[in-house]
Amino acid sequence: MRLLLLGVVLLLVLTAFADSSATANHTKQILKWATDRIHRVWDINRKIFVQLTAKGKSPLGGTVVSSKQEVEAETYRLYYELAANLSVVPVAELDDPLQRRFVQRMSKLQLQGLRPKDYEQAKDLLRQIHNFVSGSMVCAHEECSGSGALAMYPQIFNKNMHTKQYEELLRNWKSWRRAVNEKDVAKSTFIDYVRLLRMAATYNGHVTPSRTWYLNYDTENFQAELEAVVWEIMPLYRELHAYLRHEVQAAYPKAETKSDGAISAPIMDQILSQDWYPHQFFRTPHHGKQHQLPSVHRRLEQVLVTPVKINHKAAEFFESLGLIKLPSTFYDRFSRRMSEEEAGGDCKSQVYYFPPDVALRYCPKLDYKKLMQVHGTMAEIQYYQYKMRLPFGLDTEPCPGFGAAIAETVILASGTARHLEHLHILLNKSLTEEQSLNRLFRMGVHTLIAVPQYFINDKFLVDVMDGRIGVKDYNCAYWDLQDKFAGVQPPSSRLNKDFDPDFKFYRGLNPETSNTKKFLAEILGFQFYRSFCLTSNQYKPGDPEFPLHNCDFYGNQEAGKKIHDMMELGATRHWRDVMEIATGERKLSGRGILEYFAPLFTWLKERNKQLDIEPGWDADELCRRD
Ligand SMILES: *[C@@H]1O[C@H](CO)[C@@H](O)[C@H](O)[C@H]1NC(C)=O
Ligand SMILES: *[C@@H]1O[C@H](CO)[C@@H](O)[C@H](O)[C@H]1NC(C)=O
């Protein structure tokens, strides 16, 4: 009897074992199949890079575009079929945590989970949405033919940047909105697009559609976590907002600030767009030439001489941390300068991934902003080098924005006076107190004004998606969010039939450039930065010699190890596990931002008191719900 029982148990164990090993084998086959397929995509990427950098040829615009479409189509087919293959794999039977993670991660998709016809429609809608921002849609004057029309970005955006006339800002603000939403086009495009996002969620079995929008954040009610951060930094935001409102009166006397204290939307756009503009209309806290930030441009040209040298310097930052040293083949074969046409304006370097190689097309500019951005690009290249060692499907960041957050830390460090002194670009490790505050102020405008806007744009989309905002109430609900989280109001009375989100909202509809991703990158970036700076002892809380905002963790191997350990994991673990390596925390928090901007916060509070400015605002009903 006993023996029989033992036999039965043994048999059961054996069958289970056989099942699980069959499942494991099957999963392995699927992975192999997918890996073969992704190689095709990488081959096209390689081809694109070669086409774009071929010597002595005019740019092969058309060919490159078609290759890019090929990449997209191939990737879609692969992901779609892979998800179908994996959806029937019983995950519970898999013992290997990596296999389990692969199946869980690749069996759920966003837009790529849609059937081919619907996916095509989604791409089509995204193209239209892109066109709202970059298409020539706005007539500069009453009458205009196609050629006279302007695009919101970059044309109107750049024009605005140079205008001191409030009337003109207002006119552009209104005419772009009128143009994109003529006959409700913008609104109905948005509605169609949301319908597809919801459909994608049903394929994942998500009852709440935003679970699919927030797919790889893998958190119940992720929005609540984002909102908590917005409230955490709100006291600082309110002081900055109050001070800016005061400054607006000097820069734009005609922009009537409504008595309730909110800032008019075209003005807020202007404040944000001027963050890098050298001839700002909004004054920094300390006026006077001697308090202006030292111009690094000339020294940059003298010291670094060429963009290639900047690339080397930025790459060396990572070597100093004990990360990968890029081989000379990288510089010889896979690092190429952008063509002159592309290099015009505000060009951004591009990174191409086709393992075993990673390639770079860089923007050949030499200024402070580019110097910082190049460090971000090099972070991306480092990350790819580590990710490519992982199996397909897990060779990515653990959640969207995670890589950008790591990059942000190096960008922040590279822009400090301490680092610029190290590079012999500045002669002193620290700026004067006044300069330092001016710098923090500009960084503050750049970061603190942007963060609530990322949140509002994201929340608006998600609340519509989940049905918390009804179609009849879109516009006023949007302005309610602007009021509640940013103290921004429409420049004049608006109606619910208008559709007023800004161009960054439209950009953020594409999951690749979502506002969620930007929000996370910014917040987590400061969290990481704080942690690397504490680790390296370059930030000593309470010590004015080592404030967080002048921390350069260059050369610190301990900070480097944290970066290394995070990069090496790719997407093999939940993003909270990975962030914990660097921060010891598992949640987003505004603490990094608050500590970074602490001196600014102190100054703003005092200054606002002196000027008798009351921070905050009250809602004035400027959107009519009838
Ligand atoms: C996965 O699905 C595709 C298309 O449905 C099929 O061609 C392929 O053989 C499948 N792969 C495996 C390993 O099952
Ligand atoms: C560097 O700046 C600090 C703070 O402004 C100042 O006290 C110091 O004298 C400066 N050092 C040099 C070498 O200019």
Side-chain angles (χ1 to χ4, degrees):
M1 186 64 181
R2 236 189 217 177
L3 218 63
L4 190 66
L5 212 64
L6 196 68
V8 170
V9 169
L10 202 65
L11 198 69
L12 280 174
V13 167
L14 278 176
T15 343
F17 182 73
D19 267 3
S20 84
S21 78
T23 307
N25 268 334
H26 182 53
T27 308
K28 213 186 264 170
Q29 267 170 20
I30 297 176
L31 175 60
K32 187 178 170 307
W33 167 81
T35 307
D36 290 343
R37 285 277 295 268
I38 197 68
H39 274 99
R40 276 195 239 162
V41 175
W42 292 340
D43 287 344
I44 312 171
N45 275 342
R46 187 182 290 271
K47 206 171 78 191
I48 292 175
F49 177 74
V50 171
Q51 280 168 348
L52 280 170
T53 54
K55 279 221 174 73
K57 280 186 195 155
S58 57
L60 302 142
T63 330
V64 170
V65 169
S66 76
S67 301
K68 281 185 181 159
Q69 283 165 354
E70 214 182 323
V71 166
E72 196 182 282
E74 269 292 323
T75 312
Y76 164 68
R77 272 196 297 275
L78 167 56
Y79 279 55
Y80 184 78
E81 287 169 17
L82 179 60
N85 287 358
L86 292 178
S87 63
V88 294
V89 171
V91 183
E93 284 177 16
L94 293 171
D95 295 324
D96 179 357
L98 275 190
Q99 271 199 339
R100 225 179 297 142
R101 180 118 181 117
F102 167 70
V103 176
Q104 280 162 344
R105 214 176 148 92
M106 301 308 285
S107 58
K108 286 192 166 48
L109 299 169
Q110 294 179 307
L111 291 175
Q112 286 165 326
L114 294 171
R115 282 172 204 181
K117 216 175 97 246
D118 297 321
Y119 179 72
E120 273 316 308
Q121 198 199 347
K123 295 301 313 169
D124 214 45
L125 291 169
L126 279 174
R127 270 189 291 274
Q128 287 177 43
I129 288 165
H130 178 78
N131 198 46
F132 295 156
V133 179
S134 307
S136 307
M137 303 194 73
V138 182
C139 291
H141 306 286
E142 289 307 313
E143 294 284 315
C144 81
S145 52
S147 61
L150 302 176
M152 179 66 219
Y153 193 89
Q155 286 155 329
I156 295 179
F157 183 84
N158 283 339
K159 260 173 66 133
N160 281 351
M161 206 190 287
H162 298 91
T163 186
K164 287 193 167 158
Q165 306 300 321
Y166 179 66
E167 295 86 345
E168 194 178 333
L169 294 181
L170 186 59
R171 191 165 53 237
N172 290 339
W173 191 91
K174 286 186 177 162
S175 46
W176 176 68
R177 279 164 180 77
R178 204 180 311 122
V180 297
N181 200 36
E182 200 180 357
K183 301 203 183 92
D184 275 343
V185 167
K187 199 196 290 188
S188 60
T189 308
F190 172 61
I191 292 172
D192 288 347
Y193 181 67
V194 167
R195 189 180 60 83
L196 292 170
L197 287 172
R198 283 190 181 138
M199 193 189 286
T202 61
Y203 294 139
N204 290 332
H206 289 150
V207 181
T208 314
S210 60
R211 275 308 290 265
T212 287
W213 178 252
Y214 291 138
L215 188 61
N216 285 324
Y217 299 105
D218 200 13
T219 298
E220 198 87 45
N221 198 2
F222 188 50
Q223 195 188 78
E225 186 169 342
L226 305 182
E227 183 170 338
V229 174
V230 175
W231 289 121
E232 196 183 349
I233 60 176
M234 189 56 83
L236 169 55
Y237 180 83
R238 282 161 53 98
E239 295 290 340
L240 180 62
H241 178 279
Y243 180 76
L244 287 169
R245 192 207 311 146
H246 174 263
E247 283 301 299
V248 165
Q249 285 159 9
Y252 291 94
K254 292 206 178 133
E256 35 184 321
T257 17
K258 304 279 182 307
S259 53
D260 77 341
I263 294 177
S264 164
I267 291 290
M268 205 50 144
D269 291 350
Q270 184 70 340
I271 291 173
L272 199 50
S273 74
Q274 288 224 330
D275 55 358
W276 283 100
Y277 185 54
H279 315 287
Q280 288 194 314
F281 302 149
F282 304 100
R283 292 175 303 192
T284 41
H286 295 288
H287 324 314
K289 269 233 159 342
Q290 75 278 22
H291 301 317
Q292 294 310 304
L293 299 182
S295 164
V296 297
H297 189 74
R298 244 196 43 233
R299 287 292 298 163
L300 261 177
E301 285 185 339
Q302 286 167 353
V303 176
L304 293 176
V305 193
T306 65
V308 175
K309 250 192 153 161
I310 289 204
N311 293 344
H312 276 95
K313 276 286 169 208
E316 201 239 330
F317 194 110
F318 293 89
E319 284 169 38
S320 86
L321 300 174
L323 299 173
I324 292 169
K325 179 171 164 51
L326 295 175
S328 59
T329 49
F330 171 78
Y331 296 103
D332 297 343
R333 295 181 50 207
F334 298 111
S335 170
R336 290 283 179 271
R337 181 190 179 110
M338 276 180 174
S339 67
E340 291 303 325
E341 298 104 279
E342 280 176 287
D346 188 25
C347 58
K348 287 222 167 69
S349 304
Q350 285 170 349
V351 179
Y352 297 79
Y353 182 57
F354 39 85
D357 299 306
V358 179
L360 167 70
R361 285 174 66 241
Y362 61 87
C363 168
K365 286 248 166 83
L366 213 57
D367 60 31
Y368 181 59
K369 184 178 175 182
K370 289 296 158 221
L371 173 74
M372 289 166 70
Q373 284 178 348
V374 165
H375 283 78
T377 306
M378 284 295 164
E380 203 184 330
I381 292 176
Q382 287 281 334
Y383 208 173
Y384 273 131
Q385 306 271 358
Y386 286 104
K387 288 186 294 196
M388 74 170 66
R389 300 170 185 177
L390 295 163
F392 168 68
L394 302 176
D395 59 342
T396 61
E397 54 187 352
C399 67
F402 201 93
I406 299 179
E408 180 75 16
T409 66
V410 189
I411 292 173
L412 287 170
S414 71
T416 58
R418 198 176 286 277
H419 191 68
L420 294 175
E421 193 265 351
H422 167 83
L423 293 179
H424 307 293
I425 288 167
L426 288 184
L427 300 174
N428 199 323
K429 281 193 197 27
S430 55
L431 302 170
T432 65
E433 208 174 304
E434 290 82 4
Q435 287 174 329
S436 172
L437 191 78
N438 281 347
R439 176 172 177 271
L440 265 189
F441 180 79
R442 290 181 72 154
M443 300 275 296
V445 168
H446 176 72
T447 307
L448 297 165
I449 301 298
V451 165
Q453 293 299 322
Y454 295 147
F455 177 71
I456 289 167
N457 283 336
D458 196 55
K459 183 169 167 61
F460 180 67
L461 167 64
V462 161
D463 284 358
V464 165
M465 199 186 298
D466 287 353
R468 284 183 294 275
I469 294 176
V471 66
K472 292 212 174 66
D473 199 35
Y474 281 176
N475 208 38
C476 290
Y478 173 76
W479 286 115
D480 285 347
L481 294 176
Q482 284 290 356
D483 178 55
K484 182 171 177 186
F485 294 103
V488 172
Q489 63 185 12
S492 60
S493 195
R494 304 293 288 171
L495 300 171
N496 242 337
K497 73 173 178 48
D498 298 321
F499 193 63
D500 292 334
D502 64 5
F503 76 91
K504 291 175 183 167
F505 168 77
Y506 291 106
R507 269 192 192 159
L509 292 178
N510 188 334
E512 301 284 318
T513 49
S514 75
N515 283 290
T516 329
K517 188 171 166 179
K518 296 202 169 120
F519 184 98
L520 181 116
E522 202 71 62
I523 300 298
L524 194 57
F526 276 92
Q527 273 178 279
F528 285 159
Y529 184 58
R530 175 178 176 274
S531 139
F532 300 156
C533 289
L534 283 171
T535 300
S536 58
N537 230 5
Q538 290 297 312
Y539 168 42
K540 301 179 187 164
D543 181 347
E545 291 279 304
F546 288 92
L548 184 52
H549 62 80
N550 198 23
C551 151
D552 174 20
F553 56 87
Y554 174 92
N556 188 273
Q557 308 260 326
E558 269 177 86
K561 180 164 184 341
K562 289 183 171 188
I563 296 182
H564 166 271
D565 292 353
M566 292 202 293
M567 286 187 168
E568 193 181 53
L569 284 175
T572 57
R573 306 265 291 277
H574 197 286
W575 65 278
R576 291 189 197 278
D577 296 335
V578 188
M579 83 173 270
E580 196 176 11
I581 294 176
T583 62
E585 298 164 313
R586 299 180 60 82
K587 276 189 92 154
L588 295 178
S589 124
R591 196 161 164 195
I593 288 198
L594 288 174
E595 288 182 29
Y596 187 92
F597 290 108
L600 177 66
F601 194 20
T602 308
W603 183 85
L604 284 169
K605 278 190 286 197
E606 262 170 41
R607 187 75 187 135
N608 285 340
K609 244 191 220 120
Q610 271 172 14
L611 294 169
D612 204 17
I613 303 172
E614 186 73 35
W617 55 87
D618 285 317
D620 232 4
E621 264 317 317
L622 278 178
C623 188
R624 290 220 319 272
R625 291 196 137 85
D626 45 46

